[in-house]
Amino acid sequence: MLGGGISASGAAVVNDLLSDQLFQLVEEDVLRLIDIFDAGYELPSRENSLSSGTFWMPAERTDEPRCAIEYVISKLHSSSELFHRVGVKGLQFAGVEWWFQDVSDGEQPKTFHTDCDLQTEVDRDGVLTRKRRNPSIGSVLYLSREGGATVAFGQRRNISISSATLCPRLPQELVVVHPCKNRLFLFDGDLLHAVMHPQNPANIRGQRRTLTLGDVAHELVDR
């Protein structure tokens, strides 16, 4: 299933990840979900969660995928090769959070952010705290060639303080990956990243469709 690719520090790109048949099945899954959401469906929120709009596939279900998307997730987890490309070894994963994006050429691209799940908890003294969980690995499977590049910066949020300070303050390195059908971009899950405006005129018109996977290890960290 793995195609050819290139690697960088904390990131990897794999072209032609899936067979043509499997890619078509994944694409059909996403298009069906787009139609369902366009018709007004909303995912139920998880209790005490500040995040929504995503699907969760627990690790124990990798042997029984329910759709083509989950089948791809199970295959990715059956081999450690991809994870080794971004320097991740020996982690025990709780599961994969996944979601899709369908952005038109008239919409603003996704701004600077880090993928995370935020949950609220109340301790014995009644103090409200937030738990912030970044995926151990973030990945983007491009379903179209339209739209701007994804850029991941060598910066992380400093979770030891309450502000959104980035470390280092200025990035020393970055990775730029342009959309291309059946291309997978993997990166350390807590890296700052964003989607740029398209530079190539041929990529401006049309829907920018991606499938995003967040591989989550068991630990939670205080925010």
Side-chain angles (χ1 to χ4, degrees):
M1 185 176 68
L2 299 180
I6 58 173
S7 298
S9 176
V13 176
V14 180
N15 293 316
D16 300 321
L17 176 74
L18 310 176
S19 67
D20 291 344
Q21 182 181 12
L22 184 52
F23 179 82
Q24 183 178 349
L25 291 174
V26 169
E27 193 174 35
E28 290 173 354
D29 273 357
V30 172
L31 291 175
R32 277 193 292 268
L33 288 170
I34 290 172
D35 289 340
I36 291 171
F37 278 81
D38 285 347
Y41 175 75
E42 294 184 6
L43 282 173
S45 298
R46 298 189 302 277
E47 184 178 3
N48 298 327
S49 177
L50 301 179
S51 306
S52 61
T54 65
F55 298 85
W56 174 251
M57 181 179 179
E60 56 267 22
R61 206 171 66 229
T62 55
D63 292 333
E64 298 179 350
R66 301 181 301 185
C67 62
I69 295 171
E70 290 193 350
Y71 177 79
V72 169
I73 292 172
S74 69
K75 286 299 183 182
L76 290 177
H77 275 261
S78 66
S79 171
S80 59
E81 178 186 347
L82 278 179
F83 300 151
H84 290 174
R85 292 190 189 187
V86 292
V88 173
K89 298 180 180 180
L91 279 182
Q92 183 179 4
F93 289 102
V96 176
E97 189 171 16
W98 62 271
W99 61 98
F100 65 88
Q101 292 184 331
D102 179 41
V103 181
S104 73
D105 52 69
E107 297 178 81
Q108 290 296 313
K110 186 76 173 178
T111 188
F112 300 93
H113 67 286
T114 55
D115 296 332
C116 67
D117 181 46
L118 297 177
Q119 293 186 336
T120 59
E121 293 184 0
V122 180
D123 63 19
R124 295 177 181 178
D125 299 322
V127 178
L128 182 68
T129 60
R130 288 184 179 179
K131 296 287 186 178
R132 177 192 181 97
R133 176 168 54 186
N134 294 106
S136 301
I137 303 172
S139 55
V140 180
L141 176 61
Y142 298 94
L143 305 177
S144 69
R145 65 185 289 259
E146 285 77 20
T150 306
V151 182
F153 300 85
Q155 293 173 288
R156 294 170 169 84
R157 295 192 186 280
N158 188 342
I159 60 175
S160 63
I161 56 178
S162 59
S163 65
T165 302
L166 292 171
C167 296
R169 192 171 71 87
L170 296 175
Q172 300 300 308
E173 59 181 1
L174 58 84
V175 178
V176 180
V177 180
H178 292 274
C180 179
K181 275 193 172 187
N182 208 9
R183 169 177 289 167
L184 181 72
F185 174 35
L186 298 99
F187 53 93
D188 287 346
D190 58 351
L191 289 181
L192 182 74
H193 56 284
V195 178
M196 302 290 101
H197 288 276
Q199 298 300 309
N200 186 342
N203 292 357
I204 292 177
R205 298 297 179 190
Q207 299 293 113
R208 185 185 191 272
R209 295 194 177 102
T210 56
L211 177 66
T212 305
L213 312 176
D215 296 82
V216 178
H218 283 287
E219 70 274 5
L220 280 172
V221 293
D222 292 323
R223 180 174 185 249

